[in-house]
Amino acid sequence: MSKAYEAAWQASIDDPQGFWLEAAKALDWAQAPASGWNEAEGWFPGGQINTCHNAVDRHVAAGRGDATALIYDSPVTGTISRYTYAQLLEEVGRVAAMLASLGVGKGDRVVIYMPMVPQTVFAMLACARLGAIHSVVFGGFAPLELAKRIDDATPRVLLTTSCGIEGSKVLPYKPMVDEALRLSAHQVEHVVLYQREQVTAELQAPRDIDWMDLREKTAQDAVPACVALASDDPLYILYTSGTTGTPKGVVRDNGGHAAALTWSMANIYGIGAGDVFWAASDVGWVVGHSYIVYAPLLVGATTVLFEGKPVGTPDPGTFWRTIDRHGVKAFFTAPTAIRAVRKDDPEAKFLTEIGTGKCGVIFLAGERADPDTIAWLEEKSGLPVIDHWWQTELGWPAIATCFALGDLRRKRGSAGFPVPGYAFTILGDDGQPVPDGGSGSVAIKAPLAPGAFRTLWNNKAGYEKNFAGFPGYYETGDAGFFDEEGFLHIMGRTDDIINVAGHRLSTGQMEQIVAQEDGVAECAVIGADDPIKGMNPIAFVVPRAGAEADDTLAARVVKAVRSELGPVAALKTVYIVPQLPKTRSGKILRNLLRKIVNGEDFAPPATIEDASVPQMLVDVVRG
Ligand code: COA
Ligand code: AMP
C-alpha cells in the first residue's frame, strides 16, 4: 500500500474542493477560480482559462520553446518529424488564423475528420485557442456516422485530409466527407482539406478550400490570442456509442479537464516537463484526446503521435522500436494491441532484441486486460504493466494503480483502485451497496471528479439518465466487484455495448441496421469472445418468409453494417437461423446466444419459449 496514494485519495474525498483547487494551481488561469465546485457551474466556478495557452504558449513563455513538444512517427509513410514547443505554437497559431479568417470563433463547432497527422493536433489546439469546440470523428466510421455527428454538432467548418493510411491501405477521405455532407441536413460553410502526397482530392469551390492555400492567404494575419473561457465552457464534443443508434456527444469542459489531466500525469503516469510519453491510440478516441494531445502538452512533456499499427507496420517490433528510438518513459496501449503483437511474435524476439529503452512502465486500458496478456508482457518486457479503467464520459482514469504515487500493487484481472476524486460503490439491483466480494453495477458517487462530463451535447436528458438508475450515483454501465484487498474488478457491461479491438460499439445499433436489411424478419447481435480483439460482433438473423433460400442475405447484412456504421464495426459473421431463443414473454436470450458462440456450458432458463432452439443453434454454429 502506498501512503501517498492513500492520503491523496482520502483528501480528495474529505475535501474535494480543496484538493482540486490545489491541483488547479499547476495551471495558468486568466482569472483564478472563486471556489472548487458548485452545482450550477461545475468545477472551478469563476475561473477563466484557455487550454491551448496552458498546453503550448506558457511553455514557450517560460523559456522552453526549444523543448520537443511533438514527435510524429509514421511507419506507414516512412516519416519521423519533430516540433518544438515554439514550432508547435507557430503551427497552431497559423491554423487558428486560418479558422478565424473563416469566421470561426468562441462557441462555434469545428468537425475534424482527420487521421494521425500533426495537422490534426494543430487543428485541435487551434480550436481550443479560439474557444471553438472541436469534434474529432474517428476515420473508421462510415459517412452516415459522420453525418449524424455533423447534424448534432452543427459545425461551421469541417477539417479533413485527402486520405488516411491504415497499415498498407490508403483510404481517400474526401468521398466520405462528400457523402456525409450529402446525407446530413446541416451543411458546413467550408471544408478545409489538407492534401497528403498519397492522394490528391478534388475540391469544389467555394465550399472546399485547400489547407495550404488558406494558410498562405492568411500567412500575414496576426496569430489570434488565446481566448479566456469560463472554466465550464466546452473544449470539445466527443461522440461515443450509447445504447441506441444515436451517438452520445460527451461535452468536455476546459478548467476541470486541464486540472484533472495535469494531476494524472504527475500522480498516475509519472510524467513531467521534458519526459517523453506515448499513448498508442488514435486521436479519434478519448485516449487520443487526453493522452496523445492534451495531457502530455499541458505538463510540457513530449508526446508521440504514431501513425501505424501494432503489427505489420512493418512488423511486431514497431512498438519497441518506437519506444527505444524516442526515449519513451511511459507507454500506454490497449490489451488488444499487445495480443496482436504476441500473436505475431509469441517468443517476443523483437522485444528481446530491441528492448524497451528508457521505458519504466506500461499502462493498458480500453477493455479488460486478460491476466495472460499482462503476464506475458510483464515477463517479456521486465516492466510493471498497469491495467487502468476509464470511459469517454470520464475523460481520464478512474480506476488505476497510482504508479507515480509509489503504488505498485497489482492483481492480474483487476483494474486497480479508485483514483483520487472517485468514490466507487458496487450496487445491487435494489440500489443498495453490495458487500465486498459481491458483484453488481459499478457506480460512482456524484458529483464526478473534474474532467468528467457534465452534459451531453443537445441531450441533457440523456446525461441525466446516467444518474437516474441509482439516485446520487453515476452508473458506469459496467459490472464488477471489490475483492477483499480492495482491488476493483471490472467484469463486463450491463448494457449492449461491446468492445471490439479496444473500440466501443453498440450491438443495439448494429441490430437496428441489420433489422432494416431486406429479407430480415428478426435479428440479434452479440459480442463473442475473440482471442485478439477481445470481442467480435456476431449476428443471428431470422429470414422473412420467402427469403429463407436467399443466399445473398448474410453478405448483405455484413455490407450494410460496414457501410452504415463503418469498417471498425468488424461484423463478419452472420448465422441465418429459423428462430431466435426467446422467453415466453418474447425477450431474446442474448446471453444464451453468447454462451453458445463462445462454446460455454449453458442452461436455458425455465421461461424459454421453445426448448429445442438452443440445440438447433449449437448445430448451426458448430456446423
Ligand atoms: N480509419 C479507417 N479505417 C479504419 C481505421 C481508421 N482510423 N481504424 C480501423 N479501420 C478499419 C480497418 O482498416 C479494418 O478494415 P477492414 O475490415 O477493411 O480490414 C477495420 O476498420 C477493423 O479494424 P481494426 O479493428 O483496427 O482491426 P485490424 O484487424 O485491422 O487490427 C488490431 C487489429 C488489434 C491490430 C487493431 O485493432 C489495434 O491496433 N487496436 C488497438 C486499438 C486502440 O488502441 N484503441 C484505443 C483504445 S485505448
Ligand atoms: P470508452 O468510452 O470507449 O473508453 O469505453 C469505456 C468502456 O470500456 C468501459 O465502460 C469498460 O466497459 C471498457 N473498459 C475500458 N477500460 C477498461 C479496463 N481497464 N478494464 C475493463 N474494461 C475497460
Side-chain angles (χ1 to χ4, degrees):
M1 158 86 67
S2 142
K3 285 208 165 69
Y5 158 73
E6 182 96 330
W9 186 81
Q10 202 58 56
S12 77
I13 301 303
D14 293 346
D15 177 19
Q17 297 213 31
F19 183 87
W20 289 112
L21 270 173
E22 188 57 34
K25 286 187 186 155
L27 299 165
D28 265 6
W29 292 82
Q31 170 81 51
S35 71
W37 190 85
N38 73 38
E39 181 72 38
E41 297 161 281
W43 287 98
F44 311 122
Q48 293 205 342
I49 192 164
N50 184 282
T51 299
C52 176
H53 167 80
N54 277 279
V56 187
D57 300 50
R58 70 166 170 153
H59 304 308
V60 178
R64 297 195 61 249
D66 290 338
T68 305
L70 175 70
I71 300 173
Y72 168 54
D73 190 321
S74 168
V76 296
T77 58
T79 314
I80 296 177
S81 50
R82 292 180 173 75
Y83 297 83
T84 63
Y85 271 96
Q87 289 167 328
L88 181 63
L89 177 54
E90 170 65 21
E91 295 297 336
V92 171
R94 293 308 358 135
V95 180
M98 287 157 55
L99 289 170
S101 77
L102 300 177
V104 173
K106 183 182 165 192
D108 290 332
R109 274 81 59 212
V110 174
V111 162
I112 301 179
Y113 188 61
M114 293 174 72
M116 293 285 286
V117 292
Q119 286 70 22
T120 311
V121 179
F122 307 154
M124 292 166 75
L125 291 163
C127 290
R129 185 174 199 88
L130 297 171
I133 303 165
H134 63 69
S135 186
V136 182
V137 179
F138 179 62
F141 284 122
L144 181 60
E145 285 298 304
L146 177 56
K148 286 181 191 169
R149 287 153 173 80
I150 290 170
D151 274 338
D152 196 58
T154 58
R156 291 187 74 163
V157 172
L158 186 150
L159 302 176
T160 191
T161 53
S162 57
C163 67
I165 305 173
E166 266 293 298
S168 56
K169 289 177 289 187
V170 173
L171 305 171
Y173 272 20
K174 187 64 182 354
M176 294 198 276
V177 168
D178 286 341
E179 175 65 2
L181 287 168
R182 197 185 63 74
L183 294 167
S184 65
H186 174 78
Q187 291 303 303
V188 297
E189 291 164 30
H190 292 289
V191 172
V192 181
L193 181 141
Y194 181 78
Q195 301 277 17
R196 301 187 75 184
E197 63 184 45
Q198 292 77 10
V199 170
T200 303
E202 270 188 35
L203 303 180
Q204 291 136 28
R207 187 196 70 184
D208 301 346
I209 304 176
D210 181 274
W211 184 294
M212 291 312 284
D213 285 353
L214 184 59
R215 187 185 156 117
E216 211 164 295
K217 218 172 118 196
T218 53
Q220 303 311 320
D221 294 3
V223 170
C226 290
V227 174
L229 302 164
S231 178
D232 74 339
D233 276 339
L235 170 66
Y236 67 76
I237 307 167
L238 179 59
Y239 289 89
T240 188
S241 297
T243 50
T244 66
T246 315
K248 304 195 298 183
V250 167
V251 178
R252 191 79 60 215
D253 68 356
N254 274 275
H257 174 250
L261 292 191
T262 302
W263 186 91
S264 74
M265 288 310 265
N267 297 287
I268 299 178
Y269 300 103
I271 294 292
D275 293 331
V276 183
F277 186 73
W278 177 23
S281 179
D282 188 289
V283 280
W285 303 110
V286 67
V287 174
H289 278 62
S290 295
Y291 291 104
I292 296 174
V293 183
Y294 287 111
L297 298 177
L298 281 166
V299 300
T302 303
T303 187
V304 178
L305 181 76
F306 175 76
E307 189 182 29
K309 291 263 186 181
V311 293
T313 59
D315 55 43
T318 198
F319 274 0
W320 324 124
R321 203 173 290 118
T322 306
I323 287 172
D324 183 50
R325 183 191 282 149
H326 303 304
V328 170
K329 187 177 169 195
F331 174 54
F332 180 160
T333 187
T336 188
I338 299 300
R339 291 195 294 266
V341 169
R342 182 183 182 185
K343 179 168 173 259
D344 282 15
D345 184 17
E347 301 306 323
K349 287 192 184 128
F350 283 96
L351 176 49
T352 310
E353 193 183 310
I354 300 165
T356 50
K358 293 182 188 158
C359 192
V361 58
I362 299 176
F363 291 89
L364 300 178
E367 53 169 333
R368 183 167 183 271
D370 52 291
D372 194 38
T373 299
I374 298 184
W376 181 85
L377 187 56
E378 287 202 323
E379 188 208 318
K380 303 295 181 192
S381 69
L383 296 174
V385 173
I386 294 179
D387 182 17
H388 61 333
W389 175 99
W390 45 307
Q391 307 182 304
T392 308
E393 290 85 342
L394 304 177
W396 63 291
I399 309 171
T401 294
C402 288
F403 170 77
L405 283 176
D407 202 353
L408 270 172
R409 290 170 301 162
R410 306 188 297 290
K411 189 181 280 184
R412 290 170 192 162
S414 157
F417 302 90
V419 165
Y422 289 100
F424 279 85
T425 309
I426 307 297
L427 298 174
D429 290 343
D430 57 0
Q432 293 307 308
V434 170
D436 284 356
S439 13
S441 296
V442 176
I444 306 174
K445 201 163 184 329
L448 296 172
F453 72 155
R454 294 191 63 250
T455 192
L456 292 174
W457 189 255
N458 288 335
N459 188 6
K460 189 78 182 167
Y463 167 80
E464 282 163 359
K465 251 172 91 177
N466 293 281
F467 297 84
F470 301 114
Y473 291 93
Y474 165 69
E475 195 177 351
T476 65
D478 282 16
F481 65 93
F482 272 110
D483 71 16
E484 66 292 347
E485 291 173 288
F487 283 93
L488 192 33
H489 298 251
I490 298 291
M491 305 311 291
R493 295 285 304 190
T494 56
D495 54 19
D496 67 358
I497 301 288
I498 57 169
N499 216 302
V500 181
H503 306 136
R504 171 170 161 179
L505 299 163
S506 157
T507 55
Q509 181 180 8
M510 291 189 220
E511 283 182 7
Q512 284 175 18
I513 298 171
V514 176
Q516 280 165 19
E517 191 56 30
D518 198 26
V520 174
E522 264 193 307
C523 66
V525 177
I526 52 111
D529 291 350
D530 182 87
I532 303 298
K533 294 182 160 195
M535 276 187 172
N536 249 335
I538 292 195
F540 286 83
V541 168
V542 179
R544 255 187 223 298
E548 295 89 342
D550 180 352
D551 58 8
T552 66
L553 185 55
R556 284 192 287 113
V557 162
V558 168
K559 196 166 163 226
V561 173
R562 189 181 172 90
S563 59
E564 286 185 41
L565 209 164
V568 71
L571 177 86
K572 301 221 161 108
T573 306
V574 178
Y575 293 114
I576 307 290
V577 294
Q579 237 179 306
L580 293 175
K582 286 187 187 166
T583 60
R584 282 194 280 275
S585 60
K587 199 166 169 284
I588 297 173
L589 294 162
R590 291 185 175 75
N591 214 15
L592 182 68
L593 286 172
R594 207 170 294 125
K595 287 189 170 166
I596 289 173
V597 292
N598 287 342
E600 293 168 25
D601 293 339
F602 60 85
T607 53
I608 194 161
E609 185 187 36
D610 180 343
S612 70
V613 171
Q615 189 54 48
M616 174 275 290
L617 293 169
V618 170
D619 294 342
V620 171
V621 169
R622 296 220 179 116

